[in-house]
Amino acid sequence: MCKILLFNPRSATYKFRVPNSILQVAASVEGRYDWVIVDGNRETDPWSKIRSLLATGEFKYVGFTVMPGPQLKEAIPFAIRIREEFPGTVMIWGGYFATNQQKVVLKSGYVDFVINGPGDHAFPALIDALEKNQPYELIKNLIYHRDGKIIKTPKEDLIDQSTLPPLPYDRLDRFYSLEKYLGKTYLGNRTLAYHSSMGCPFTCSFCAVVPIYEARWKAKAAGQVYTDVRYIKDKWGADSIEFHDNNFFVSEKRTAEFSRMIKNDNMIWWGEGRIDTIDKYKDETLALMRESGCKMIFFGAETGNDEILKKMDKGGTQSGAQIRAFAARMKKFDIIPEYSFVLGTPAESPEKVMQYIEQDIAFIKEIKSINPDTEIVIYTYSPVPTEGSELFKKSQESGFKFPEKLEDWISPQWENFDLRKNPLTPWLTPEMIDKIRNFETVLNGYYPTVSDIRLSAVKRKLIHTVAALRYKTNLYKYPYEIKLLHRLWHYRQPEIQGF
């Protein structure tokens, strides 16, 4: 009766990865409670699977991991159905959405508890307390609703990652073949998704991670990471790695150690980092990283405007000048910098907002002229409820509000909000949004992303030629011919589809 059902809502249409978040929760209760995983990415009808399991009467607890964006399409209606059909079930949500939108989640009446950040200790402690009918008020990283109030317990210090139990890959393989989680990408034919660290030591005001980790970072030792990677390589044939850490490259020493360990294993790898952190790396470290298989790194460039960077509270030393220089430096080491930009931040007037957008468009083109191999990912600014954030305060003053009902998050106007494609921000006019989207279309035509492995050389040449006049003369309006080719060829958008 005390079994645990762990659900990973669908997040991809055809490409899926090892559900690391939910698998880590499973690891926390392994050997203490029986559990099963239902992966929405691997089920044609995940609700039927969930319903059949709950109907046995053996499952008392249901845990959801809920990221903003696509996962809400299954998470919210499934939570409603579970509450209606299995009212005795205890529902526990974790993930960025649950933490950042805790009030609307708990006031919905469908969710009983939210895990506020890592659940390695909080989740099993909560299950223990509920099973033994003991108080749970002193369990850290917990949020719940009581007597009309949201109760939030203190945050736990980030756990030493080397003390955590290994992820139960072999048991996951019994539910879903692990080989099918190793998909073909730009990096390789059998790409593994892996988390080697938790959190980030910076406080960017537009980042959903900040309210959860509060500028903290803990990582597994390089040797432990290498051992895990080798295990999956040897048993299931992984040939490449996506490190989905919020910030893989915080420690140059750890990065260099891992690079030395893996350099003879013929594995290509990718991770996320900060420009002003990696720019401090020695040339020898960058060369070692490339030799070890590091092919591309994702960086939050955000903007070339130092004033906006300050408002974003990027921390560190990042500047427009550094972003330019670093693109050139990465070219020397044959590592592709994948720069993301956030356009459409709030400003004092509509004219100022448009001015910032046009400045960043010009800056992006400058970066491409410095290093044409630089991958550009464009987002439209969407507010994050970060306390004390100047940008979030400005957003609220401009009339922005999050939905007040959980069900509203899956309405058409909010569905793509957290993909940063449909901003719903009152200071952005249709003209501004069109400006951003049309430039992005032309840019992706003139410089098709290398991560779209389905685009042949002929297609790349054709779309580049079609977009050339527009790109060179700044004619971005109505790029219907490029959009048609994108649609015909199912052009891949790394910002919402990964590799």
Side-chain angles (χ1 to χ4, degrees), residues 79-133:
I80 294 172
R81 292 183 187 181
I82 290 172
R83 182 58 78 220
E84 290 174 347
E85 297 189 32
F86 306 96
T89 301
V90 177
M91 199 162 339
I92 306 163
W93 277 24
Y96 296 161
F97 179 83
T99 299
N100 288 333
Q101 302 295 335
Q102 56 197 251
K103 292 181 180 179
V104 72
V105 168
L106 290 170
K107 287 183 177 180
S108 70
Y110 312 130
V111 182
D112 299 294
F113 298 93
V114 167
I115 302 296
N116 184 17
D120 304 276
H121 290 167
F123 188 84
L126 176 62
I127 302 298
D128 286 346
L130 294 173
E131 280 297 295
K132 298 172 183 177
N133 197 28

Side-chain angles (χ1 to χ4, degrees), residues 20-21 24 193-197 220 225 242-246:
N20 287 299
S21 297
Q24 191 154 333
Y194 185 88
H195 274 104
S196 77
S197 66
K220 295 179 183 178
V225 177
E242 293 174 358
F243 285 108
H244 287 178
D245 305 39
N246 301 123

Side-chain angles (χ1 to χ4, degrees), residues 71-226:
Q71 287 196 321
L72 293 174
K73 289 184 69 175
E74 285 189 345
I76 293 173
F78 286 12
I80 294 172
R81 292 183 187 181
I82 290 172
R83 182 58 78 220
E84 290 174 347
E85 297 189 32
F86 306 96
T89 301
V90 177
M91 199 162 339
I92 306 163
W93 277 24
Y96 296 161
F97 179 83
T99 299
N100 288 333
Q101 302 295 335
Q102 56 197 251
K103 292 181 180 179
V104 72
V105 168
L106 290 170
K107 287 183 177 180
S108 70
Y110 312 130
V111 182
D112 299 294
F113 298 93
V114 167
I115 302 296
N116 184 17
D120 304 276
H121 290 167
F123 188 84
L126 176 62
I127 302 298
D128 286 346
L130 294 173
E131 280 297 295
K132 298 172 183 177
N133 197 28
Q134 294 177 346
Y136 47 75
E137 289 82 355
L138 297 181
I139 298 173
K140 294 182 177 179
N141 288 11
L142 203 60
I143 311 175
Y144 54 93
H145 200 213
R146 175 177 289 172
D147 300 327
K149 296 181 180 178
I150 299 294
I151 309 296
K152 184 190 274 190
T153 65
K155 295 295 286 288
E156 178 185 28
D157 290 338
L158 282 188
I159 305 164
D160 180 349
Q161 300 294 289
S162 65
T163 65
L164 295 176
L167 297 187
Y169 291 114
D170 292 274
R171 186 164 177 188
L172 175 64
D173 188 49
R174 296 178 213 162
F175 298 121
Y176 304 101
S177 168
L178 202 86
E179 286 188 8
K180 292 187 177 180
Y181 282 115
L182 307 179
K184 185 174 183 180
T185 69
Y186 168 65
L187 301 176
N189 291 316
R190 301 173 73 80
T191 303
L192 161 71
Y194 185 88
H195 274 104
S196 77
S197 66
M198 194 69 67
C200 177
F202 296 91
T203 57
C204 305
S205 63
F206 55 89
C207 180
V209 171
V210 173
I212 299 171
Y213 297 110
E214 299 173 337
R216 299 172 301 166
W217 181 79
K218 288 276 187 176
K220 295 179 183 178
Q224 185 179 357
V225 177
Y226 177 68

